[in-house]
Amino acid sequence: MNGAETVKRNLENARKLERAGEVIVSAQLLEAARCLTGASPTAACEYFQRAFEKGPVCPEMFSLSRLICKGHGKKHEEKKDTVMVSCIKNPISLAAARKMCADATTLRVVEETDFRSACEAVASKQTDYCILPMCSSSDGYYPTFSKLCKANDLKICSTVRISKSDSDEELQLALLSRELEIPSRPEYACFSFVCDEQSLLWSLVCALGKSGCIPTSITSAPLEYNMDRFEHRIEVRLWENNAEALLYFLEATLPGHTVLGIYNTVN
């Protein structure tokens, strides 16, 4: 066997060992995830805090999270032909539609009389998307936004900030669809969960922060039928644009959570 053949054989053996090592690491991580889902959410969050002590989530966790969360959402297509958007027609909504649907060859805006009708048009598949105001610089987060999204099972695909022409107020509007769409380079994610364990929220925020996935807003409200339980809505800035890693983290720590969207903010 000559030198070239020896090098080739060694490379083949090295690749086999590398693949075997990746399988072992993935299996260990998967087993850890199974154990975590049987633990309390607070215990799971504390586990991830320790796992993230030495820096953001490891490459093996990225690989495993992509595998486990395959099918949780579809990758956003960069180029579309005709896109139909339902909204209340006004200068702000129209400007938001043009910005958030800039990749569409043809944009068709369907006028609705109210926000509920705009959401129902998407839920019934009459339109591809709808546009709703999500929050403002003066009033903060709109509770009706969350209620309409929940009632129609809609997900945030994109957001945009637009200033009102007659004031200093800035509105943030969201593009919503029936499916969870994951952009090629997502910047933000939003999710909600219900709990009555006061320490869980703090543990969760600490774990997210140590992973490099930074919470940008937290909204908490008591449930109407139980003032001792709260629904928490958290928006985070994603680490290294890796949505699958966050989905994996949520699967392990928060059974019963709801992913509200994975998206970018359009300039």
Side-chain angles (χ1 to χ4, degrees), residues 58 61 75 171 234 238 250:
C58 62
M61 186 75 85
K75 289 293 183 181
L171 292 178
I234 301 180
L238 292 170
L250 295 176

Side-chain angles (χ1 to χ4, degrees), residues 2 32 54 100 116 119 124 143 149-150 158 160 191-192 196 238 247 249 261-262 266:
N2 59 35
K54 296 181 180 180
M100 290 190 287
R116 185 182 301 276
C119 292
S124 61
C149 289
K150 185 183 297 184
S158 179
V160 65
F191 62 93
S192 66
D196 51 10
L238 292 170
L247 292 174
F249 172 80
I262 297 173
V266 180

Side-chain angles (χ1 to χ4, degrees), residues 161 172 187-190 205 208 213-219 233-238 263:
R161 292 183 175 86
Q172 184 172 13
E187 298 173 324
Y188 296 94
C190 188
V205 170
L208 287 168
C213 181
I214 307 300
T216 55
S217 71
I218 302 173
T219 305
R233 175 189 174 277
I234 301 180
E235 182 188 66
V236 297
R237 181 81 186 231
L238 292 170
Y263 50 92

